[in-house]
Structures are given as structure tokens and as C-alpha cells.
Amino acid sequence: MSFISTSSYIVADDLSLAVNAAVTLEKPLLLKGEPGTGKTRLAEELAASLGVPLLRWQIKSTTKAQQGLYEYDAVSRLRDSQLGSDKVHDIANYIKPGKLWQAFTAPERPVLLIDEIDKADIEFPNDLLHELDQMEFHVYETGEQVRAEHRPIVIITSNNEKELPDAFLRRCFFHYIKFPDADTLAEIVKVHYPAIQQRLLSTALEVFFDLRAVPNLKKKPSTSELIDWLKLLLAEQIRPEDLQQKGQLLPMFGALLKNEQDVQLVEKLAFMARRQS
């Protein structure tokens, strides 16, 4: 297997090597990086390039590891027993397979995305150590042992909100997605807007990187926010020279700046630039 850039998705060489290495080693690929750098999109594109199913497990602060294996609905079984249903005689009727179970029993090798694992409780990764390492687990209610028929390709994403346990990290192949440079970002933009004028693209990228370089910015704009901003610039027919006016806020800046502190900071810098001019 060789995962490379396509006409609809640009992947850096080091990221391509990381994906291929994780698949070769049969280890989960742990991706870290700024929000908006394409961690989730990578799993989607990998599944599409291989022509296999994508199973996405979106992690929340309340998510428990057990939910990825299966859930036992004891309440429904109690209700059915009170109603005299024949279903109660087979406890398997009340076992709901989770995403890991679905991945283990898929008819072909799937891509399993465990998205934003750092949102969960600190013990969450440790609770999945055995299942991700041995690719099997036990169903206590039925006595069944679920084993992976085809070892899934596991992609795990993290936004670095919490440190992950060392024991978990040892079982993963790690890659940090660096923010794209200007040339790579230009390629990504052209995938979305192939007809964009080169002068507008060059000016927008220059302004975008200047904004990311502003000291004390709470949230730097990401790739996805750049794509949204350019869409607005094209829709409103903004000219390149409109982006270069010193001391003025950027057109459609709400696509790039996501909190009031950053807006106030940029407004202050624009005011200071007007004073100096």
C-alpha cells in the first residue's frame, strides 16, 4: 500500500510515509496537530483511496471505552420481560456492537477513525490498550470472544488538549502534522478553487501568514478557515489591493478570527498602523 496525494487531497511526503509505516507495522497511527490541519480528513481520504469502509468513532468528554466495544441495554430487557416478550430469552438481542466490534467483524479491512481521543477521560486510552493491541475482546454477557477477522487500519487524532499515557503511546506510530508552508497551502487552495487568480492567491496567502504570525493570538487561523475566507473573497469579488490596505481590518475577517480577544488585538494593531502612517 502507498498513500499519496490525489487530485482532491494534498498530503505532505512525511505524512504519507507515516501512514504507510503505520499500516506496515500494523499499529494505530496517532495524529496530532493544530485543529484544522486535516487529521480527520486524512482518514476519510485514506478509506476512499483504498475503497474500503470508514468507521468513525467521535469521542466526547462523556465517552467511555466500553462504548467502543459494545453496550448492554438492561433497561430494554427489563421492559420486555415485564411485557412477556420472547426476546428476553436471548441476551444477544440487547447487545449493541460498538465501533471496534463493527471494525473487527467487517467483511473487508476497514479504516477505523477514533477522532479527538484527548477529549475523553484520562483513563480512556488505557482502557483500550488490550483491544487495540490484541485486536480482540470478551463479551461477558454472552461469553463470546470477538476477534478481528481483518486487522483494521486505525487512525487516532488528538488536538493535544490532554497528555496521553506512555503505555498507550508505545503502541502507536506517532506523527505530528506541521502547518503547511505557503507552497503546499497554495496547492491545497487550488484543489478547492482551481480558477483562482494567482495574484489574489499570493496576496491572500501573504496576509494570512502575517495574521498567523501576530504575537499573542489566542487561536491562529487554520487551513480550513483559509478555505472559507477565500470562498468569501471570491464571492464578494474582493481585489488583491483591498487586502493590502494598511491600518484596515481584513475583509470578511470573521472567517479567520474566532474570538473577541483576537479581534480586539488585530483592531488595536490596525489602529496603531493608521497612527504611524
Side-chain angles (χ1 to χ4, degrees), residues 114-148:
I114 304 177
D115 208 12
E116 298 184 326
I117 193 172
D118 52 324
K119 282 188 175 180
D121 183 87
I122 189 62
E123 291 303 319
F124 179 90
N126 282 333
D127 292 342
L128 288 177
L129 285 178
H130 174 79
E131 289 77 12
L132 290 177
D133 193 34
Q134 300 299 319
M135 288 290 160
E136 65 176 6
F137 63 89
H138 185 71
V139 183
Y140 296 100
E141 289 78 4
T142 64
E144 180 182 1
Q145 191 73 12
V146 178
R147 294 185 178 87

PDB file of all heavy atoms in Angstrom, residues 114-148:
ATOM      1  N   ILE A 114     -10.670   6.969  15.319  1.00  0.00           N
ATOM      2  CA  ILE A 114     -11.003   7.341  16.697  1.00  0.00           C
ATOM      3  C   ILE A 114     -10.654   8.817  16.805  1.00  0.00           C
ATOM      4  O   ILE A 114      -9.490   9.192  16.959  1.00  0.00           O
ATOM      5  CB  ILE A 114     -10.235   6.492  17.721  1.00  0.00           C
ATOM      6  CG1 ILE A 114     -10.503   5.002  17.477  1.00  0.00           C
ATOM      7  CG2 ILE A 114     -10.632   6.871  19.146  1.00  0.00           C
ATOM      8  CD1 ILE A 114      -9.731   4.072  18.400  1.00  0.00           C
ATOM      9  N   ASP A 115     -11.680   9.663  16.700  1.00  0.00           N
ATOM     10  CA  ASP A 115     -11.474  11.093  16.483  1.00  0.00           C
ATOM     11  C   ASP A 115     -11.485  11.885  17.789  1.00  0.00           C
ATOM     12  O   ASP A 115     -12.420  11.781  18.584  1.00  0.00           O
ATOM     13  CB  ASP A 115     -12.578  11.615  15.552  1.00  0.00           C
ATOM     14  CG  ASP A 115     -12.141  12.818  14.741  1.00  0.00           C
ATOM     15  OD1 ASP A 115     -10.925  13.115  14.720  1.00  0.00           O
ATOM     16  OD2 ASP A 115     -13.003  13.456  14.104  1.00  0.00           O
ATOM     17  N   GLU A 116     -10.404  12.660  17.995  1.00  0.00           N
ATOM     18  CA  GLU A 116     -10.257  13.550  19.158  1.00  0.00           C
ATOM     19  C   GLU A 116     -10.250  12.761  20.472  1.00  0.00           C
ATOM     20  O   GLU A 116     -11.029  13.021  21.391  1.00  0.00           O
ATOM     21  CB  GLU A 116     -11.351  14.626  19.156  1.00  0.00           C
ATOM     22  CG  GLU A 116     -11.282  15.527  17.924  1.00  0.00           C
ATOM     23  CD  GLU A 116     -12.293  16.654  17.941  1.00  0.00           C
ATOM     24  OE1 GLU A 116     -13.394  16.445  18.471  1.00  0.00           O
ATOM     25  OE2 GLU A 116     -11.970  17.736  17.436  1.00  0.00           O
ATOM     26  N   ILE A 117      -9.328  11.828  20.571  1.00  0.00           N
ATOM     27  CA  ILE A 117      -9.246  10.951  21.739  1.00  0.00           C
ATOM     28  C   ILE A 117      -8.924  11.733  23.009  1.00  0.00           C
ATOM     29  O   ILE A 117      -9.256  11.301  24.120  1.00  0.00           O
ATOM     30  CB  ILE A 117      -8.181   9.849  21.497  1.00  0.00           C
ATOM     31  CG1 ILE A 117      -8.316   8.749  22.547  1.00  0.00           C
ATOM     32  CG2 ILE A 117      -6.773  10.432  21.472  1.00  0.00           C
ATOM     33  CD1 ILE A 117      -7.448   7.534  22.272  1.00  0.00           C
ATOM     34  N   ASP A 118      -8.292  12.895  22.880  1.00  0.00           N
ATOM     35  CA  ASP A 118      -7.905  13.671  24.055  1.00  0.00           C
ATOM     36  C   ASP A 118      -9.082  14.366  24.737  1.00  0.00           C
ATOM     37  O   ASP A 118      -8.915  14.968  25.805  1.00  0.00           O
ATOM     38  CB  ASP A 118      -6.835  14.710  23.683  1.00  0.00           C
ATOM     39  CG  ASP A 118      -7.255  15.569  22.503  1.00  0.00           C
ATOM     40  OD1 ASP A 118      -7.914  15.050  21.592  1.00  0.00           O
ATOM     41  OD2 ASP A 118      -6.919  16.762  22.480  1.00  0.00           O
ATOM     42  N   LYS A 119     -10.275  14.286  24.136  1.00  0.00           N
ATOM     43  CA  LYS A 119     -11.454  14.867  24.788  1.00  0.00           C
ATOM     44  C   LYS A 119     -11.978  13.987  25.929  1.00  0.00           C
ATOM     45  O   LYS A 119     -12.684  14.461  26.815  1.00  0.00           O
ATOM     46  CB  LYS A 119     -12.579  15.075  23.766  1.00  0.00           C
ATOM     47  CG  LYS A 119     -12.388  16.296  22.886  1.00  0.00           C
ATOM     48  CD  LYS A 119     -13.621  16.550  22.051  1.00  0.00           C
ATOM     49  CE  LYS A 119     -13.478  17.854  21.264  1.00  0.00           C
ATOM     50  NZ  LYS A 119     -14.678  18.121  20.438  1.00  0.00           N
ATOM     51  N   ALA A 120     -11.646  12.710  25.897  1.00  0.00           N
ATOM     52  CA  ALA A 120     -12.187  11.766  26.872  1.00  0.00           C
ATOM     53  C   ALA A 120     -11.413  11.815  28.185  1.00  0.00           C
ATOM     54  O   ALA A 120     -10.390  12.496  28.312  1.00  0.00           O
ATOM     55  CB  ALA A 120     -12.167  10.356  26.303  1.00  0.00           C
ATOM     56  N   ASP A 121     -11.900  11.053  29.149  1.00  0.00           N
ATOM     57  CA  ASP A 121     -11.247  10.914  30.439  1.00  0.00           C
ATOM     58  C   ASP A 121      -9.822  10.383  30.259  1.00  0.00           C
ATOM     59  O   ASP A 121      -9.531   9.653  29.307  1.00  0.00           O
ATOM     60  CB  ASP A 121     -12.072   9.952  31.312  1.00  0.00           C
ATOM     61  CG  ASP A 121     -11.497   9.816  32.703  1.00  0.00           C
ATOM     62  OD1 ASP A 121     -11.851  10.625  33.574  1.00  0.00           O
ATOM     63  OD2 ASP A 121     -10.683   8.888  32.901  1.00  0.00           O
ATOM     64  N   ILE A 122      -8.937  10.714  31.192  1.00  0.00           N
ATOM     65  CA  ILE A 122      -7.523  10.326  31.088  1.00  0.00           C
ATOM     66  C   ILE A 122      -7.345   8.816  31.038  1.00  0.00           C
ATOM     67  O   ILE A 122      -6.378   8.305  30.470  1.00  0.00           O
ATOM     68  CB  ILE A 122      -6.705  10.929  32.262  1.00  0.00           C
ATOM     69  CG1 ILE A 122      -5.203  10.731  32.049  1.00  0.00           C
ATOM     70  CG2 ILE A 122      -7.177  10.360  33.588  1.00  0.00           C
ATOM     71  CD1 ILE A 122      -4.645  11.408  30.832  1.00  0.00           C
ATOM     72  N   GLU A 123      -8.284   8.048  31.633  1.00  0.00           N
ATOM     73  CA  GLU A 123      -8.165   6.595  31.635  1.00  0.00           C
ATOM     74  C   GLU A 123      -8.678   5.964  30.345  1.00  0.00           C
ATOM     75  O   GLU A 123      -8.476   4.766  30.123  1.00  0.00           O
ATOM     76  CB  GLU A 123      -8.945   6.010  32.822  1.00  0.00           C
ATOM     77  CG  GLU A 123      -8.327   6.311  34.176  1.00  0.00           C
ATOM     78  CD  GLU A 123      -6.889   5.803  34.262  1.00  0.00           C
ATOM     79  OE1 GLU A 123      -6.618   4.687  33.774  1.00  0.00           O
ATOM     80  OE2 GLU A 123      -6.037   6.528  34.801  1.00  0.00           O
ATOM     81  N   PHE A 124      -9.321   6.743  29.502  1.00  0.00           N
ATOM     82  CA  PHE A 124      -9.903   6.205  28.274  1.00  0.00           C
ATOM     83  C   PHE A 124      -8.875   5.476  27.401  1.00  0.00           C
ATOM     84  O   PHE A 124      -9.110   4.328  26.994  1.00  0.00           O
ATOM     85  CB  PHE A 124     -10.582   7.340  27.490  1.00  0.00           C
ATOM     86  CG  PHE A 124     -11.209   6.910  26.197  1.00  0.00           C
ATOM     87  CD1 PHE A 124     -12.532   6.489  26.155  1.00  0.00           C
ATOM     88  CD2 PHE A 124     -10.493   6.938  25.007  1.00  0.00           C
ATOM     89  CE1 PHE A 124     -13.117   6.094  24.962  1.00  0.00           C
ATOM     90  CE2 PHE A 124     -11.059   6.550  23.811  1.00  0.00           C
ATOM     91  CZ  PHE A 124     -12.375   6.125  23.790  1.00  0.00           C
ATOM     92  N   PRO A 125      -7.715   6.084  27.080  1.00  0.00           N
ATOM     93  CA  PRO A 125      -6.744   5.367  26.247  1.00  0.00           C
ATOM     94  C   PRO A 125      -6.245   4.068  26.883  1.00  0.00           C
ATOM     95  O   PRO A 125      -6.080   3.048  26.194  1.00  0.00           O
ATOM     96  CB  PRO A 125      -5.604   6.381  26.083  1.00  0.00           C
ATOM     97  CG  PRO A 125      -6.229   7.708  26.353  1.00  0.00           C
ATOM     98  CD  PRO A 125      -7.262   7.443  27.406  1.00  0.00           C
ATOM     99  N   ASN A 126      -6.005   4.100  28.194  1.00  0.00           N
ATOM    100  CA  ASN A 126      -5.530   2.892  28.875  1.00  0.00           C
ATOM    101  C   ASN A 126      -6.552   1.756  28.804  1.00  0.00           C
ATOM    102  O   ASN A 126      -6.186   0.575  28.730  1.00  0.00           O
ATOM    103  CB  ASN A 126      -5.220   3.193  30.346  1.00  0.00           C
ATOM    104  CG  ASN A 126      -3.887   3.897  30.514  1.00  0.00           C
ATOM    105  OD1 ASN A 126      -2.985   3.736  29.692  1.00  0.00           O
ATOM    106  ND2 ASN A 126      -3.769   4.696  31.559  1.00  0.00           N
ATOM    107  N   ASP A 127      -7.833   2.115  28.832  1.00  0.00           N
ATOM    108  CA  ASP A 127      -8.887   1.105  28.793  1.00  0.00           C
ATOM    109  C   ASP A 127      -8.992   0.418  27.435  1.00  0.00           C
ATOM    110  O   ASP A 127      -9.664  -0.606  27.311  1.00  0.00           O
ATOM    111  CB  ASP A 127     -10.238   1.739  29.146  1.00  0.00           C
ATOM    112  CG  ASP A 127     -10.306   2.178  30.605  1.00  0.00           C
ATOM    113  OD1 ASP A 127      -9.483   1.701  31.401  1.00  0.00           O
ATOM    114  OD2 ASP A 127     -11.174   3.008  30.935  1.00  0.00           O
ATOM    115  N   LEU A 128      -8.328   0.977  26.425  1.00  0.00           N
ATOM    116  CA  LEU A 128      -8.365   0.385  25.078  1.00  0.00           C
ATOM    117  C   LEU A 128      -7.057  -0.306  24.700  1.00  0.00           C
ATOM    118  O   LEU A 128      -6.921  -0.805  23.586  1.00  0.00           O
ATOM    119  CB  LEU A 128      -8.666   1.471  24.038  1.00  0.00           C
ATOM    120  CG  LEU A 128     -10.092   2.028  24.013  1.00  0.00           C
ATOM    121  CD1 LEU A 128     -10.188   3.139  22.983  1.00  0.00           C
ATOM    122  CD2 LEU A 128     -11.104   0.930  23.704  1.00  0.00           C
ATOM    123  N   LEU A 129      -6.099  -0.333  25.637  1.00  0.00           N
ATOM    124  CA  LEU A 129      -4.771  -0.876  25.320  1.00  0.00           C
ATOM    125  C   LEU A 129      -4.843  -2.300  24.778  1.00  0.00           C
ATOM    126  O   LEU A 129      -4.291  -2.616  23.721  1.00  0.00           O
ATOM    127  CB  LEU A 129      -3.871  -0.832  26.555  1.00  0.00           C
ATOM    128  CG  LEU A 129      -3.324   0.534  26.969  1.00  0.00           C
ATOM    129  CD1 LEU A 129      -2.491   0.405  28.226  1.00  0.00           C
ATOM    130  CD2 LEU A 129      -2.511   1.145  25.850  1.00  0.00           C
ATOM    131  N   HIS A 130      -5.510  -3.186  25.528  1.00  0.00           N
ATOM    132  CA  HIS A 130      -5.551  -4.595  25.140  1.00  0.00           C
ATOM    133  C   HIS A 130      -6.279  -4.784  23.818  1.00  0.00           C
ATOM    134  O   HIS A 130      -5.821  -5.512  22.938  1.00  0.00           O
ATOM    135  CB  HIS A 130      -6.241  -5.417  26.229  1.00  0.00           C
ATOM    136  CG  HIS A 130      -6.455  -6.852  25.847  1.00  0.00           C
ATOM    137  ND1 HIS A 130      -5.441  -7.790  25.897  1.00  0.00           N
ATOM    138  CD2 HIS A 130      -7.558  -7.510  25.368  1.00  0.00           C
ATOM    139  CE1 HIS A 130      -5.908  -8.960  25.479  1.00  0.00           C
ATOM    140  NE2 HIS A 130      -7.196  -8.805  25.152  1.00  0.00           N
ATOM    141  N   GLU A 131      -7.419  -4.117  23.671  1.00  0.00           N
ATOM    142  CA  GLU A 131      -8.244  -4.315  22.478  1.00  0.00           C
ATOM    143  C   GLU A 131      -7.525  -3.851  21.207  1.00  0.00           C
ATOM    144  O   GLU A 131      -7.575  -4.529  20.174  1.00  0.00           O
ATOM    145  CB  GLU A 131      -9.568  -3.558  22.629  1.00  0.00           C
ATOM    146  CG  GLU A 131     -10.510  -4.181  23.646  1.00  0.00           C
ATOM    147  CD  GLU A 131     -10.135  -3.907  25.079  1.00  0.00           C
ATOM    148  OE1 GLU A 131      -9.264  -3.036  25.309  1.00  0.00           O
ATOM    149  OE2 GLU A 131     -10.701  -4.561  25.985  1.00  0.00           O
ATOM    150  N   LEU A 132      -6.830  -2.719  21.279  1.00  0.00           N
ATOM    151  CA  LEU A 132      -6.130  -2.223  20.104  1.00  0.00           C
ATOM    152  C   LEU A 132      -4.839  -2.995  19.841  1.00  0.00           C
ATOM    153  O   LEU A 132      -4.386  -3.069  18.695  1.00  0.00           O
ATOM    154  CB  LEU A 132      -5.812  -0.728  20.281  1.00  0.00           C
ATOM    155  CG  LEU A 132      -7.027   0.217  20.232  1.00  0.00           C
ATOM    156  CD1 LEU A 132      -6.587   1.654  20.502  1.00  0.00           C
ATOM    157  CD2 LEU A 132      -7.737   0.130  18.895  1.00  0.00           C
ATOM    158  N   ASP A 133      -4.255  -3.548  20.893  1.00  0.00           N
ATOM    159  CA  ASP A 133      -3.013  -4.303  20.731  1.00  0.00           C
ATOM    160  C   ASP A 133      -3.288  -5.722  20.244  1.00  0.00           C
ATOM    161  O   ASP A 133      -2.680  -6.197  19.278  1.00  0.00           O
ATOM    162  CB  ASP A 133      -2.264  -4.333  22.060  1.00  0.00           C
ATOM    163  CG  ASP A 133      -0.832  -4.819  21.897  1.00  0.00           C
ATOM    164  OD1 ASP A 133      -0.234  -4.530  20.846  1.00  0.00           O
ATOM    165  OD2 ASP A 133      -0.310  -5.474  22.815  1.00  0.00           O
ATOM    166  N   GLN A 134      -4.229  -6.415  20.883  1.00  0.00           N
ATOM    167  CA  GLN A 134      -4.512  -7.809  20.553  1.00  0.00           C
ATOM    168  C   GLN A 134      -5.626  -7.968  19.521  1.00  0.00           C
ATOM    169  O   GLN A 134      -5.831  -9.058  18.997  1.00  0.00           O
ATOM    170  CB  GLN A 134      -4.904  -8.568  21.829  1.00  0.00           C
ATOM    171  CG  GLN A 134      -3.830  -8.556  22.898  1.00  0.00           C
ATOM    172  CD  GLN A 134      -2.545  -9.222  22.426  1.00  0.00           C
ATOM    173  OE1 GLN A 134      -2.580 -10.251  21.772  1.00  0.00           O
ATOM    174  NE2 GLN A 134      -1.406  -8.610  22.756  1.00  0.00           N
ATOM    175  N   MET A 135      -6.360  -6.892  19.257  1.00  0.00           N
ATOM    176  CA  MET A 135      -7.462  -6.907  18.298  1.00  0.00           C
ATOM    177  C   MET A 135      -8.501  -7.971  18.653  1.00  0.00           C
ATOM    178  O   MET A 135      -8.988  -8.708  17.797  1.00  0.00           O
ATOM    179  CB  MET A 135      -6.937  -7.128  16.870  1.00  0.00           C
ATOM    180  CG  MET A 135      -6.206  -5.935  16.313  1.00  0.00           C
ATOM    181  SD  MET A 135      -7.337  -4.572  15.967  1.00  0.00           S
ATOM    182  CE  MET A 135      -6.215  -3.165  15.929  1.00  0.00           C
ATOM    183  N   GLU A 136      -8.851  -8.030  19.934  1.00  0.00           N
ATOM    184  CA  GLU A 136      -9.912  -8.914  20.391  1.00  0.00           C
ATOM    185  C   GLU A 136     -10.417  -8.439  21.751  1.00  0.00           C
ATOM    186  O   GLU A 136      -9.744  -7.683  22.445  1.00  0.00           O
ATOM    187  CB  GLU A 136      -9.418 -10.367  20.496  1.00  0.00           C
ATOM    188  CG  GLU A 136      -8.343 -10.589  21.536  1.00  0.00           C
ATOM    189  CD  GLU A 136      -7.967 -12.054  21.663  1.00  0.00           C
ATOM    190  OE1 GLU A 136      -8.455 -12.878  20.872  1.00  0.00           O
ATOM    191  OE2 GLU A 136      -7.177 -12.361  22.568  1.00  0.00           O
ATOM    192  N   PHE A 137     -11.625  -8.873  22.109  1.00  0.00           N
ATOM    193  CA  PHE A 137     -12.172  -8.568  23.419  1.00  0.00           C
ATOM    194  C   PHE A 137     -13.248  -9.598  23.767  1.00  0.00           C
ATOM    195  O   PHE A 137     -13.740 -10.331  22.896  1.00  0.00           O
ATOM    196  CB  PHE A 137     -12.739  -7.139  23.492  1.00  0.00           C
ATOM    197  CG  PHE A 137     -13.900  -6.883  22.575  1.00  0.00           C
ATOM    198  CD1 PHE A 137     -15.205  -7.123  22.974  1.00  0.00           C
ATOM    199  CD2 PHE A 137     -13.682  -6.384  21.294  1.00  0.00           C
ATOM    200  CE1 PHE A 137     -16.281  -6.879  22.131  1.00  0.00           C
ATOM    201  CE2 PHE A 137     -14.751  -6.135  20.436  1.00  0.00           C
ATOM    202  CZ  PHE A 137     -16.049  -6.390  20.857  1.00  0.00           C
ATOM    203  N   HIS A 138     -13.595  -9.646  25.053  1.00  0.00           N
ATOM    204  CA  HIS A 138     -14.548 -10.640  25.554  1.00  0.00           C
ATOM    205  C   HIS A 138     -15.887  -9.965  25.857  1.00  0.00           C
ATOM    206  O   HIS A 138     -15.935  -8.866  26.420  1.00  0.00           O
ATOM    207  CB  HIS A 138     -14.005 -11.284  26.832  1.00  0.00           C
ATOM    208  CG  HIS A 138     -14.862 -12.401  27.359  1.00  0.00           C
ATOM    209  ND1 HIS A 138     -14.955 -13.624  26.727  1.00  0.00           N
ATOM    210  CD2 HIS A 138     -15.669 -12.463  28.459  1.00  0.00           C
ATOM    211  CE1 HIS A 138     -15.774 -14.392  27.412  1.00  0.00           C
ATOM    212  NE2 HIS A 138     -16.233 -13.719  28.460  1.00  0.00           N
ATOM    213  N   VAL A 139     -16.974 -10.611  25.466  1.00  0.00           N
ATOM    214  CA  VAL A 139     -18.327 -10.137  25.775  1.00  0.00           C
ATOM    215  C   VAL A 139     -18.808 -10.933  26.983  1.00  0.00           C
ATOM    216  O   VAL A 139     -19.147 -12.118  26.857  1.00  0.00           O
ATOM    217  CB  VAL A 139     -19.286 -10.320  24.582  1.00  0.00           C
ATOM    218  CG1 VAL A 139     -20.663  -9.751  24.912  1.00  0.00           C
ATOM    219  CG2 VAL A 139     -18.716  -9.667  23.330  1.00  0.00           C
ATOM    220  N   TYR A 140     -18.847 -10.305  28.142  1.00  0.00           N
ATOM    221  CA  TYR A 140     -19.130 -11.026  29.383  1.00  0.00           C
ATOM    222  C   TYR A 140     -20.556 -11.553  29.432  1.00  0.00           C
ATOM    223  O   TYR A 140     -20.809 -12.638  29.966  1.00  0.00           O
ATOM    224  CB  TYR A 140     -18.863 -10.106  30.580  1.00  0.00           C
ATOM    225  CG  TYR A 140     -17.414  -9.707  30.695  1.00  0.00           C
ATOM    226  CD1 TYR A 140     -16.977  -8.455  30.244  1.00  0.00           C
ATOM    227  CD2 TYR A 140     -16.463 -10.573  31.228  1.00  0.00           C
ATOM    228  CE1 TYR A 140     -15.647  -8.087  30.331  1.00  0.00           C
ATOM    229  CE2 TYR A 140     -15.129 -10.213  31.327  1.00  0.00           C
ATOM    230  CZ  TYR A 140     -14.724  -8.974  30.871  1.00  0.00           C
ATOM    231  OH  TYR A 140     -13.406  -8.613  30.943  1.00  0.00           O
ATOM    232  N   GLU A 141     -21.497 -10.828  28.869  1.00  0.00           N
ATOM    233  CA  GLU A 141     -22.898 -11.230  28.968  1.00  0.00           C
ATOM    234  C   GLU A 141     -23.188 -12.502  28.172  1.00  0.00           C
ATOM    235  O   GLU A 141     -24.052 -13.303  28.563  1.00  0.00           O
ATOM    236  CB  GLU A 141     -23.814 -10.101  28.466  1.00  0.00           C
ATOM    237  CG  GLU A 141     -23.894  -8.893  29.385  1.00  0.00           C
ATOM    238  CD  GLU A 141     -22.687  -7.976  29.275  1.00  0.00           C
ATOM    239  OE1 GLU A 141     -21.806  -8.240  28.427  1.00  0.00           O
ATOM    240  OE2 GLU A 141     -22.627  -6.993  30.020  1.00  0.00           O
ATOM    241  N   THR A 142     -22.486 -12.699  27.064  1.00  0.00           N
ATOM    242  CA  THR A 142     -22.749 -13.870  26.210  1.00  0.00           C
ATOM    243  C   THR A 142     -21.620 -14.892  26.225  1.00  0.00           C
ATOM    244  O   THR A 142     -21.787 -16.004  25.715  1.00  0.00           O
ATOM    245  CB  THR A 142     -22.983 -13.423  24.756  1.00  0.00           C
ATOM    246  OG1 THR A 142     -21.778 -12.822  24.245  1.00  0.00           O
ATOM    247  CG2 THR A 142     -24.130 -12.421  24.666  1.00  0.00           C
ATOM    248  N   GLY A 143     -20.477 -14.531  26.789  1.00  0.00           N
ATOM    249  CA  GLY A 143     -19.322 -15.428  26.786  1.00  0.00           C
ATOM    250  C   GLY A 143     -18.601 -15.462  25.452  1.00  0.00           C
ATOM    251  O   GLY A 143     -17.686 -16.260  25.255  1.00  0.00           O
ATOM    252  N   GLU A 144     -18.962 -14.579  24.539  1.00  0.00           N
ATOM    253  CA  GLU A 144     -18.376 -14.566  23.188  1.00  0.00           C
ATOM    254  C   GLU A 144     -17.032 -13.848  23.191  1.00  0.00           C
ATOM    255  O   GLU A 144     -16.821 -12.876  23.897  1.00  0.00           O
ATOM    256  CB  GLU A 144     -19.358 -13.852  22.252  1.00  0.00           C
ATOM    257  CG  GLU A 144     -18.909 -13.751  20.810  1.00  0.00           C
ATOM    258  CD  GLU A 144     -19.924 -12.986  19.969  1.00  0.00           C
ATOM    259  OE1 GLU A 144     -20.947 -12.524  20.529  1.00  0.00           O
ATOM    260  OE2 GLU A 144     -19.688 -12.841  18.758  1.00  0.00           O
ATOM    261  N   GLN A 145     -16.101 -14.363  22.391  1.00  0.00           N
ATOM    262  CA  GLN A 145     -14.806 -13.713  22.193  1.00  0.00           C
ATOM    263  C   GLN A 145     -14.797 -13.128  20.781  1.00  0.00           C
ATOM    264  O   GLN A 145     -14.859 -13.867  19.795  1.00  0.00           O
ATOM    265  CB  GLN A 145     -13.654 -14.718  22.368  1.00  0.00           C
ATOM    266  CG  GLN A 145     -12.273 -14.093  22.448  1.00  0.00           C
ATOM    267  CD  GLN A 145     -12.009 -13.385  23.772  1.00  0.00           C
ATOM    268  OE1 GLN A 145     -12.771 -13.550  24.732  1.00  0.00           O
ATOM    269  NE2 GLN A 145     -10.954 -12.603  23.841  1.00  0.00           N
ATOM    270  N   VAL A 146     -14.732 -11.805  20.680  1.00  0.00           N
ATOM    271  CA  VAL A 146     -14.760 -11.137  19.375  1.00  0.00           C
ATOM    272  C   VAL A 146     -13.328 -10.864  18.939  1.00  0.00           C
ATOM    273  O   VAL A 146     -12.585 -10.154  19.618  1.00  0.00           O
ATOM    274  CB  VAL A 146     -15.557  -9.823  19.445  1.00  0.00           C
ATOM    275  CG1 VAL A 146     -15.545  -9.114  18.093  1.00  0.00           C
ATOM    276  CG2 VAL A 146     -16.990 -10.087  19.900  1.00  0.00           C
ATOM    277  N   ARG A 147     -12.933 -11.430  17.796  1.00  0.00           N
ATOM    278  CA  ARG A 147     -11.592 -11.225  17.248  1.00  0.00           C
ATOM    279  C   ARG A 147     -11.688 -10.578  15.876  1.00  0.00           C
ATOM    280  O   ARG A 147     -12.654 -10.791  15.141  1.00  0.00           O
ATOM    281  CB  ARG A 147     -10.855 -12.564  17.115  1.00  0.00           C
ATOM    282  CG  ARG A 147     -10.541 -13.244  18.439  1.00  0.00           C
ATOM    283  CD  ARG A 147      -9.698 -14.492  18.219  1.00  0.00           C
ATOM    284  NE  ARG A 147      -9.340 -15.130  19.481  1.00  0.00           N
ATOM    285  CZ  ARG A 147     -10.100 -16.018  20.106  1.00  0.00           C
ATOM    286  NH1 ARG A 147     -11.274 -16.377  19.590  1.00  0.00           N
ATOM    287  NH2 ARG A 147      -9.703 -16.544  21.247  1.00  0.00           N
ATOM    288  N   ALA A 148     -10.678  -9.798  15.552  1.00  0.00           N
ATOM    289  CA  ALA A 148     -10.665  -9.105  14.263  1.00  0.00           C
ATOM    290  C   ALA A 148     -10.457 -10.106  13.132  1.00  0.00           C
ATOM    291  O   ALA A 148      -9.453 -10.836  13.111  1.00  0.00           O
ATOM    292  CB  ALA A 148      -9.570  -8.050  14.242  1.00  0.00           C
TER     293      ALA A 148
END
